[in-house]
Amino acid sequence: MENFIAHNPTKVHFGRGVVNDLGKAASRYGNRVLFMYGKGSAVKNGYYDQVKKQLTGAGMQVAEYSGIKPNPVIDDVEKAADLGRRERSELVVALGGGSVIDSAKITALCIANDMKGWDIMTGTAEPVKTIPLIAVLTLAATGTEMNGSAVVQNPETREKLGYWNPLNFPAHSFLDPEYTYTVPEDYTAYGIADLIAHCLENFFGKGDAPLSDRFIYSIIQEALEVGPLVLKHPRNYEYRARIMWAATNALNGLTQQGKAYGDWGVHAIGHTLSFLYDTPHGATLSIAYPAWLKLHAGRIPERITTLGNNLFGVNTPARTIEEVRKMFSRLRCPLHLSDIGIDNSHKTQIVNLMHANRVTGRNYELSNADHLKLVNYMM
Ligand code: NZQ
Ligand code: ZN
């Protein structure tokens, strides 16, 4: 096992009606709140009203920033931070999925340190403090509700970057599975693909941590059992609750402890696709993972077979890859770029951006020649 520090400061409020405690929790951190949300689903489905009522009911002054888009952009972060600074916001409440919560994490850092978001994300500026963030999660997928990561893209530099800082952990996260009843079928499936991918990125990380591997198998097995059920019965509380908690645990430290780091090469490939085509995050991963496994089948056959054996009872890399494809296909996720309308004419564009952004994994490096192979495998 590698050395590690286990510390997760986020207080998770999980279950039906937990948002009723939001006002009380928020008012502990101040009176002036910046309330951030997305492009409309929270308003349409009534979650916005519930959260707003909690905040005003606790006597808070609320400034609102809405319109954060999926695959969020840094421009929204800068604008939200300007608003927060003008309003002297003391805390941020984020209502939404990963895109809103990630944007809110960087916004909170910008406000507290009076810095630019992209300077923070690129390491040019080093924040030393933050203002508290309270997340209300509406989509089970990223694990951002209980981790220190944020992913944002910058159209100018043509990058989608991940940024980790312990300051980014939400102070509180409210997870009511009923808030996810309205997530459409495609995004529900992409969320499940994403949580599985988080387990796999850590499985292919550096270091030998058998207990973390066992958590990984268990979380993926949970997703495989409940995934098809939740797609069939989107308003079933138990299924939504099980997927929600699986997604949180896939990326809150549990699957990484005892490893130096995860690999994250597949996410880097996925971010290239999201940047270029605005492809939903989880859909990029169900396309990229089989290709990445195929590239590595001859390089790390034992590790891939260990995965296949523990998850599917198969004994070769080829059979493992076949099962991984079946797994994503049962979740109705795309397996090829052609499934999302990207044909051969886009190949050069994808490969060029992979080169430019030096797409690689931390544990298993990817060369320029690998980029081309991966794109061919994804077609
Ligand atoms: O914008 P609105 O109208 O709110 O609609 C959203 C959006 O269109 C909709 N939605 C969310 N909750 C809903 C709902 N629709 C109906 N009912 C609800 N309850 O779903 C769409 C997708 O939302 P988004 O927040 O983009 O999805 P997700 O949670 O999958 O987040 C994806 C983002 O997180 C990043 C991804 O790269 C991507 O940018 N990630 C963040 C990570 C982290 N911070 O740890 C790790 C991940 O690997 C990932 O990279
Ligand atoms: Zn992910």
Side-chain angles (χ1 to χ4, degrees):
M1 275 180 38
E2 304 282 331
N3 291 4
F4 65 95
I5 295 170
H7 178 68
N8 196 313
T10 302
K11 189 178 260 188
V12 175
H13 306 240
F14 190 99
R16 271 194 189 100
V18 286
V19 172
N20 292 330
D21 298 328
L22 177 83
K24 196 167 156 219
S27 58
R28 286 181 46 217
Y29 299 100
N31 190 39
R32 306 175 70 89
V33 57
L34 176 63
F35 179 22
M36 296 174 67
Y37 51 96
K39 292 196 80 75
S41 73
V43 173
K44 184 174 148 215
N45 296 305
Y47 316 133
Y48 165 87
D49 283 343
Q50 289 175 22
V51 171
K52 181 88 183 269
K53 203 169 130 203
Q54 282 293 312
L55 298 174
T56 50
M60 306 186 83
Q61 287 185 45
V62 185
E64 294 185 26
Y65 190 91
S66 64
I68 306 286
K69 72 173 225 44
N71 295 320
V73 288
I74 198 68
D75 193 41
D76 274 318
V77 170
E78 307 294 8
K79 285 181 183 150
D82 283 343
L83 177 66
R85 275 186 286 254
R86 271 201 314 276
E87 295 287 331
R88 289 178 287 116
S89 302
E90 295 161 295
L91 73 150
V92 180
V93 169
L95 169 65
S99 295
V100 174
I101 297 171
D102 286 4
S103 300
K105 286 178 176 178
I106 306 297
T107 300
L109 290 174
C110 291
I111 294 171
N113 301 276
D114 202 11
M115 288 171 178
K116 288 279 181 201
W118 200 246
D119 289 345
I120 292 172
M121 295 207 53
T122 51
T124 313
E126 210 167 307
V128 292
K129 57 187 173 181
T130 193
I131 59 172
L133 167 66
I134 296 184
V136 182
L137 186 68
T138 63
L139 198 165
T142 62
T144 188
E145 64 275 13
M146 204 181 177
N147 72 35
S149 294
V151 186
V152 178
Q153 59 184 42
N154 184 339
E156 277 175 30
T157 64
R158 295 176 60 75
E159 288 166 291
K160 183 175 185 190
L161 285 188
Y163 170 78
W164 188 89
N165 190 318
L167 295 168
N168 280 341
F169 282 89
H172 296 256
S173 279
F174 289 83
L175 276 60
D176 183 339
E178 289 187 343
Y179 274 38
T180 65
Y181 283 2
T182 51
V183 178
E185 181 183 299
D186 53 357
Y187 272 106
T188 299
Y190 302 152
I192 301 167
D194 191 23
L195 84 86
I196 292 173
H198 296 158
C199 291
L200 296 178
E201 295 283 17
N202 280 327
F203 181 81
F204 290 108
K206 180 175 162 47
D208 194 15
L211 181 59
S212 287
D213 285 353
R214 288 197 161 111
F215 287 137
I216 286 167
Y217 305 141
S218 297
I219 293 170
I220 296 178
Q221 277 156 357
E222 176 79 349
L224 292 184
E225 188 178 306
V226 188
L229 294 170
V230 87
L231 291 174
K232 206 165 161 197
H233 307 283
R235 301 185 83 84
N236 178 293
Y237 181 84
E238 284 306 313
Y239 300 152
R240 285 289 190 185
R242 285 172 65 182
I243 281 297
M244 200 172 204
W245 192 229
T248 303
N249 281 285
L251 201 54
N252 67 355
L254 189 70
T255 58
Q256 200 217 303
Q257 282 144 8
K259 300 183 191 244
Y261 39 75
D263 184 66
W264 300 101
V266 172
H267 270 67
I269 302 165
H271 292 342
T272 308
L273 299 175
S274 286
F275 179 85
L276 284 172
Y277 311 113
D278 216 11
T279 312
H281 175 62
T284 68
L285 303 171
S286 61
I287 294 169
Y289 242 114
W292 185 94
L293 288 167
K294 191 170 171 185
L295 182 76
H296 287 85
R299 300 178 189 177
I300 46 167
E302 283 169 17
R303 190 73 184 140
I304 293 176
T305 304
T306 301
L307 179 78
N309 194 262
N310 280 282
L311 284 182
F312 313 114
V314 298
N315 287 309
T316 64
R319 292 289 312 281
T320 304
I321 298 167
E322 198 184 311
E323 291 297 328
V324 167
R325 281 183 193 282
K326 276 193 219 156
M327 166 176 84
F328 287 132
S329 151
R330 253 180 247 124
L331 292 169
R332 303 175 210 163
C333 287
L335 292 176
H336 298 281
L337 289 170
S338 54
D339 298 337
I340 55 166
I342 297 167
D343 61 23
N344 274 320
S345 67
H346 297 85
K347 230 187 216 172
T348 314
Q349 185 182 42
I350 304 171
V351 172
N352 286 348
L353 192 61
M354 287 173 82
H355 290 353
N357 289 343
R358 296 195 196 86
V359 163
T360 190
R362 285 191 77 184
N363 198 25
Y364 301 111
E365 281 187 20
L366 300 172
S367 65
N368 280 1
D370 290 339
H371 293 162
L372 182 59
K373 282 187 196 155
L374 283 162
V375 174
N376 281 327
Y377 294 158
M378 289 192 289
M379 278 300 164

